[in-house]
Amino acid sequence: MENGPLQVLTFPTAPYPDQRPGASGLRKKVYVFQSKRNYLHNFIQSIFSSIDLPDRQGATLVVGGDGRFFNSTAIGVLVQMAAANGIGRLIIGHHGMMSTPAVSCVIRKYKAIGGIILTASHNPGGPNGDFGIKFNTASGGPAKEEVTSKIYQLSRTIEEFAICPGLSVDLKTLGKQAFDLENKFKPFTVEIVDPVESYANLLRNIFDFAALKELLSGENHINIRLDTMHGVLGPYVKRILCEELGCPANSAINCVPLEDFGGQPPDPNLMYATDLVDSMRDGQYDFGAAFDGDGDRSMILGKHGFFVTPSDSVAVVADNIFCIPYFQHTGVRGFARSMPTSTALDRVAKATKIELHETPTGWRFFGNLMDAGMLSLCGEESFATGGDHIREKDGLWAVLAWLSIIATRRQSVEDILKDHWLKYGRNYFTRYDYENVDIDAACDMMEDLEILISDKSFAKQRFAVGDKIYQVEKADNFEYTDPLDSTITRNQGLRIIFSDGSRIVYRLGGTGAEGATVRIYIDSHERKLLFEETQVMLAPLATIALKISQLHHRTGRIGPSLIT
């Protein structure tokens, strides 16, 4: 216990107009948090003020980050402000680090009022990179729109913040620390916890660890390669996959968390996870996976780098869901995908007679369905898959799901996927990202595009590219009616659906810290099994997408920043 009660002080401040949190929280360049006076303090205070005082008084809050630059500084401020705002207990990951799935797990385990996650996910780190703050509620999932809207409104009118500037916490030592505060009857406590153990216990109750250990270290074991891209998941992979399930220590690479993630964005795709991609080429490893900065996304590769699209990944898990013991006990309540994600999951849902939900992008929509007992498995095209064990996407869970399928079927990743395509046909899917586009130009383009596709004359139009002809069946701006409370979420992406089921989707937004991101998604289903390259198969639709939008002319961008 510190000597003498610590002062709780209130300081005046002025609001900023740009603290609107998105589905993934507030993300800005690090220098914004560093250079703008009280920028961090304002947003943290707005989070606390969004919680009614009786609810936060003496409550438990979970805190964790992905270890990126500015993480420790932000936690220091957050602890001081939590104490001053009536929080009774903080649970913080060792060294201030905890994966996003683990934060969700710990919130639910300890019945906390919520959690604050310091991450910008797969965005670049370091002094010149991005930083983010995200608030998760008591369900363990991302705050709903009414909560983030309240936080934003508070941030626009904030006049003061409360802080306990003399409070300093030791993030390096496991255990409880207690602090006496002025005018507080109970000490404020901070508990530094092992960030892996609670989450590992949860996974042990979902998967058959004995079967996985046999697969990974038994007599006929497979060889795997796991790349945590210097993100938060390094200690989790080392502890669970290597120490517990018996993988050789050198199976896991880039496992030391770094503030700048080694100079590369911790984005698990073919462009950035080059260490994994290169090591998989020679066939030495049967299975490979890469994880993002905060551990909620993963990319799956088979032997020789055989790439599994995220849309295919969730469909394969759905079709083999009873390879996971958890679902043998709970049953399957429903499947869901975000609207831009390919329709591969829809075909599994139809064949298995399990209800499918198509939602806007954002995990909170899945969380609502899970809380209502309507959803068991879901995924997004952005390398995100998860179940109803927590209320976040979960990169390591997805990897263990795939390994459970391999352990049961005793087939390679490639053979499992090819069998899936023979059964359901193949969805060719790609996404083009145009990043840091001028915001006004991007908005004007999307507005004009919506006017164009909303015109009655656009329906039934035919587009010819080479020997391919595509006829428009439907075009709209996607909106979602929540099946629980009938609330409507509008303007979630412009869709053009053709008579053969092919789709072009345009969305504006993203999770970057600067400019606008224009995303074009292209999805086409082929019943006959073909082994053409995705970009070759989708080239006609890509040509149509660019022609309709005039994207190159309207934005001045010749090509995409990223193709996935």
Side-chain angles (χ1 to χ4, degrees), residues 155-423:
S155 78
R156 295 180 67 187
T157 57
I158 188 171
E159 295 180 347
E160 61 184 24
F161 63 86
I163 191 166
C164 186
L167 196 159
S168 179
V169 73
D170 176 10
L171 297 175
K172 297 177 182 178
T173 304
L174 293 171
K176 290 183 179 178
Q177 302 166 46
F179 305 87
D180 273 333
L181 308 181
E182 278 186 341
N183 303 318
K184 303 286 182 183
F185 294 111
K186 288 185 177 180
F188 170 70
T189 63
V190 176
E191 187 172 349
I192 308 300
V193 300
D194 176 349
V196 179
E197 191 52 39
S198 291
Y199 175 72
N201 271 332
L202 180 63
L203 295 181
R204 291 182 193 109
N205 290 320
I206 294 171
F207 299 101
D208 183 344
F209 268 38
L212 291 174
K213 187 168 186 176
E214 180 64 25
L215 174 74
L216 299 173
S217 57
E219 187 176 347
N220 298 309
H221 67 86
I222 64 170
N223 296 315
I224 72 172
R225 190 75 156 173
L226 303 171
D227 184 355
T228 65
M229 301 188 77
H230 293 298
V232 73
L233 221 55
Y236 295 77
V237 166
K238 283 287 190 184
R239 180 94 63 87
I240 297 168
L241 272 299
C242 298
E243 294 175 18
E244 185 158 356
L245 297 180
C247 289
N250 62 5
S251 299
I253 58 173
N254 299 323
C255 282
V256 177
L258 298 175
E259 289 189 335
D260 67 348
F261 305 107
Q264 282 272 34
D267 198 349
N269 58 45
L270 296 173
M271 176 179 285
Y272 291 121
T274 51
D275 287 351
L276 176 69
V277 172
D278 291 344
S279 67
M280 294 294 294
R281 284 202 180 102
D282 65 4
Q284 179 183 354
Y285 300 103
D286 303 292
F287 178 92
F291 304 91
D292 72 342
D294 64 324
D296 63 357
R297 304 170 194 251
S298 56
M299 175 179 70
I300 306 296
L301 298 179
K303 201 164 190 169
H304 301 292
F306 181 85
F307 175 61
V308 181
T309 71
S311 298
D312 275 342
S313 181
V314 68
V316 168
V317 174
D319 198 42
N320 295 274
I321 198 162
F322 294 115
C323 294
I324 301 169
Y326 173 86
F327 294 111
Q328 296 171 15
H329 299 301
T330 66
V332 181
R333 301 179 181 95
F335 297 140
R337 62 168 175 82
S338 63
M339 181 274 286
T341 302
S342 95
T343 57
L345 182 61
D346 305 39
R347 300 173 204 288
V348 178
K350 184 177 179 181
T352 55
K353 295 182 171 58
I354 292 171
E355 187 172 7
L356 177 98
H357 304 273
E358 183 182 32
T359 73
T361 297
W363 213 258
R364 67 176 184 265
F365 296 102
F366 296 146
N368 290 351
L369 295 169
M370 289 176 183
D371 290 342
M374 299 171 66
L375 178 60
S376 297
L377 173 73
C378 51
E380 295 183 334
E381 47 70 37
S382 55
F383 296 90
T385 303
D388 62 354
H389 60 297
I390 55 173
R391 295 298 180 266
E392 280 283 5
K393 51 185 96 78
D394 193 341
L396 188 50
W397 180 95
V399 165
L400 294 180
W402 262 93
L403 292 173
S404 298
I405 294 166
I406 294 169
T408 301
R409 294 183 53 164
R410 279 291 168 179
Q411 287 179 288
S412 69
V413 171
E414 185 171 353
D415 286 345
I416 288 169
L417 198 54
K418 285 180 177 178
D419 280 356
H420 186 87
W421 292 338
L422 279 170
K423 184 176 180 181

Side-chain angles (χ1 to χ4, degrees), residues 412-556:
S412 69
V413 171
E414 185 171 353
D415 286 345
I416 288 169
L417 198 54
K418 285 180 177 178
D419 280 356
H420 186 87
W421 292 338
L422 279 170
K423 184 176 180 181
Y424 293 106
R426 179 177 179 181
N427 277 79
Y428 287 88
F429 179 86
T430 193
R431 186 183 93 191
Y432 300 102
D433 287 10
Y434 296 81
E435 298 173 329
N436 299 325
V437 173
D438 178 80
I439 292 174
D440 291 337
C443 289
D444 288 347
M445 184 199 78
M446 292 293 285
E447 286 173 11
D448 289 346
L449 183 56
E450 182 172 7
I451 292 169
L452 174 69
I453 69 169
S454 300
D455 192 288
K456 288 183 180 179
S457 65
F458 188 77
K460 306 303 179 187
Q461 272 199 33
R462 292 156 67 91
F463 295 88
V465 180
D467 60 351
K468 288 270 195 179
I469 297 175
Y470 296 89
Q471 181 170 316
V472 177
E473 183 76 26
K474 178 182 179 181
D476 64 8
N477 190 337
F478 179 68
E479 62 180 43
Y480 173 72
T481 302
D482 192 294
L484 304 174
D485 58 18
S486 298
T487 55
I488 300 174
T489 305
R490 296 186 168 88
N491 301 315
Q492 293 302 302
L494 304 179
R495 300 188 298 179
I496 301 171
I497 303 171
F498 297 96
S499 56
D500 68 347
S502 299
R503 301 184 307 151
I504 297 172
V505 175
Y506 304 87
R507 289 186 66 245
L508 182 61
T511 53
E514 288 186 321
T517 299
V518 178
R519 292 198 169 111
I520 301 177
Y521 311 79
I522 301 172
D523 177 25
S524 181
H525 179 256
E526 295 288 341
R527 179 65 252 187
K528 191 159 81 172
L529 186 55
L530 303 170
F531 295 104
E532 295 288 346
E533 287 292 324
T534 295
Q535 297 305 321
V536 173
M537 288 294 292
L538 297 179
L541 284 165
T543 300
I544 294 168
L546 293 173
K547 179 181 178 181
I548 293 171
S549 65
Q550 299 182 358
L551 185 143
H552 293 167
H553 171 69
R554 298 295 299 269
T555 67

